[in-house]
Amino acid sequence: MVLRCTSGTRTLGFRPIATSAARRASQLSSSFDYCRDLVKKHDREHYLNTLLMPKAARAGVVAVRAYNVSLASVRENVSDAQIGRMRLLFWRSNIDQIYKTGEAPEQPILTVLAAAIREYKLTKQWILQMITSREDRLSDNPFSSLNEAEQYYDKTFSTALFLTLQCLGVQSMEADHAISHLGRAQGLTMMLHGIPYFAQQRKSLLPLDLCLHHGLTQESIVRKEVDQAMRDLVYDIAAQAHVHLEKACKLKSTLPKEALPAFLPAVSCRKYLSTLQRNNFDPFHPICARRDPWLLYRMTWKKLRADY
């Protein structure tokens, strides 16, 4: 039997746990609302993406995205790496408990994630990898190389997308290959988009090998000096993001149609990279920082055309 957990006009396709069905249904509904609002506030792009997911997959994708937002916020909210590791240990311990017993503590994200794990048979390795990948990145130090950055984004962005495919019921090597490229493109795009944010805090994540190659100092980055060295470095990262985006797009014809909603974040990546190019690879240009008010419409149009 599938639990029809209602909140307003929405239904959640999660299966019940074997105790106090009414209480669990109410708890699941309120937990879903919490997770949905969390994603809407902190991850607008993927929130809009969830609106275009099939109803049967939507609750699972919201659970994955809320879980991702919570893990990503650990680094932002702690100044001591040891405290950050303790918070990640909380998540690891409870994930182990969910897979072992099927039960979760009364915490909104874990409640919804536990239901998603049961309903969509989410892979434990990927759920835990989202924690493991962040354990060594609990400081805002620059990446040592572009390759290191790509590997990190593959273990974070791509892994969340792998789980999205599982929520969609997609099992395809071609889809996994394409989504891995999209995750790397997303991560590199996010790195570029975050340059002004980190510069405001006198920090930078930009790869040190590229900084050295172009003669760009950390001080010039935090001072927001947009010289040729900065533009050349931003171009190199944007070009690599574009390479991954194109590889993901070239595999479109090999994908099952059920996988296509998971690839809609490519729309915002392409839009940002295009805006960056039009503004001569200046990451501090006001237009580059502007939120795209038409993103949902762009994504909807792509979905209607079975494209991304």
Side-chain angles (χ1 to χ4, degrees), residues 128-142:
L128 290 179
Q129 182 166 274
M130 294 175 69
I131 299 174
T132 303
S133 60
R134 289 177 167 89
E135 288 175 333
D136 296 327
R137 290 289 307 174
L138 286 172
S139 63
D140 292 323
N141 294 327

Side-chain angles (χ1 to χ4, degrees), residues 26-221:
S26 176
Q27 180 186 22
L28 185 56
S29 178
S30 61
S31 296
F32 178 87
D33 288 343
Y34 173 88
C35 291
R36 178 206 58 205
D37 293 343
L38 182 71
V39 177
K40 183 177 182 180
K41 180 178 180 181
H42 296 286
D43 190 357
R44 173 178 174 266
E45 172 189 324
H46 288 108
Y47 169 73
L48 296 178
N49 189 198
T50 64
L51 300 179
L52 300 175
M53 289 285 171
K55 288 183 179 180
R58 192 172 300 157
V61 177
V62 167
V64 170
R65 285 296 155 190
Y67 174 60
N68 185 67
V69 166
S70 296
L71 295 180
S73 69
V74 169
R75 183 179 67 184
E76 298 173 6
N77 294 328
V78 300
S79 56
D80 184 275
Q82 188 59 34
I83 295 175
R85 291 189 184 93
M86 291 174 63
R87 293 192 180 184
L88 291 176
L89 181 60
F90 162 83
W91 290 101
R92 182 182 294 278
S93 299
N94 281 290
I95 294 300
D96 285 336
Q97 177 184 327
I98 290 170
Y99 277 96
K100 184 177 180 180
T101 68
E103 298 290 332
E106 293 190 5
Q107 196 270 3
I109 297 171
L110 288 170
T111 296
V112 176
L113 186 62
I117 288 170
R118 288 191 303 273
E119 183 72 15
Y120 305 101
K121 306 297 186 291
L122 300 182
T123 301
K124 182 179 180 181
Q125 177 186 347
W126 289 342
I127 293 285
L128 290 179
Q129 182 166 274
M130 294 175 69
I131 299 174
T132 303
S133 60
R134 289 177 167 89
E135 288 175 333
D136 296 327
R137 290 289 307 174
L138 286 172
S139 63
D140 292 323
N141 294 327
F143 290 102
S144 63
S145 65
L146 182 59
N147 182 61
E148 182 191 28
E150 287 192 57
Q151 290 180 4
Y152 174 74
Y153 294 134
D154 191 42
K155 293 175 181 177
T156 50
F157 283 80
S158 299
T159 300
L161 292 171
F162 290 148
L163 292 167
T164 299
L165 288 176
Q166 286 197 312
C167 293
L168 290 164
V170 174
Q171 294 183 344
S172 164
M173 291 182 62
E174 291 79 10
D176 287 349
H177 184 196
I179 213 84
S180 177
H181 283 297
L182 175 57
R184 292 179 184 227
Q186 272 193 294
L188 293 174
T189 302
M190 189 63 66
M191 177 194 286
L192 294 174
H193 202 280
I195 291 175
Y197 169 79
F198 283 104
Q200 194 69 29
Q201 302 179 48
R202 300 193 59 79
K203 297 176 182 177
S204 167
L205 300 183
L206 296 176
L208 294 177
D209 62 340
L210 290 182
C211 291
L212 180 63
H213 176 73
H214 292 291
L216 189 67
T217 66
Q218 297 297 300
E219 188 61 29
S220 64
I221 296 171

Side-chain angles (χ1 to χ4, degrees), residues 43-49 52 157 161 182 185-190 193 241 245 249 262-276 278 288 290-300 302 307-308:
D43 190 357
R44 173 178 174 266
E45 172 189 324
H46 288 108
Y47 169 73
L48 296 178
N49 189 198
L52 300 175
F157 283 80
L161 292 171
L182 175 57
Q186 272 193 294
L188 293 174
T189 302
M190 189 63 66
H193 202 280
L245 195 58
C249 291
F263 288 84
L264 289 175
V267 175
S268 61
C269 284
R270 187 177 293 106
K271 177 64 168 59
Y272 177 78
L273 293 175
S274 175
T275 301
L276 196 61
R278 287 198 305 271
C288 293
R290 188 178 301 168
R291 175 178 289 185
D292 181 6
W294 302 104
L295 180 57
L296 180 59
Y297 298 99
R298 297 180 201 278
M299 295 170 76
T300 302
K302 289 290 187 180
D307 195 7
Y308 57 86

Side-chain angles (χ1 to χ4, degrees), residues 204-262:
S204 167
L205 300 183
L206 296 176
L208 294 177
D209 62 340
L210 290 182
C211 291
L212 180 63
H213 176 73
H214 292 291
L216 189 67
T217 66
Q218 297 297 300
E219 188 61 29
S220 64
I221 296 171
V222 301
R223 276 195 248 154
K224 306 179 183 181
E225 296 176 359
V226 184
D227 54 14
Q228 192 58 46
M230 168 66 82
R231 297 182 194 276
D232 289 345
L233 182 144
V234 170
Y235 170 82
D236 283 352
I237 297 175
Q240 188 65 6
H242 179 74
V243 166
H244 285 297
L245 195 58
E246 289 303 299
K247 287 181 178 179
C249 291
K250 285 180 180 178
L251 291 167
K252 181 176 59 180
S253 62
T254 69
L255 305 180
K257 64 179 182 180
E258 294 81 8
L260 295 181

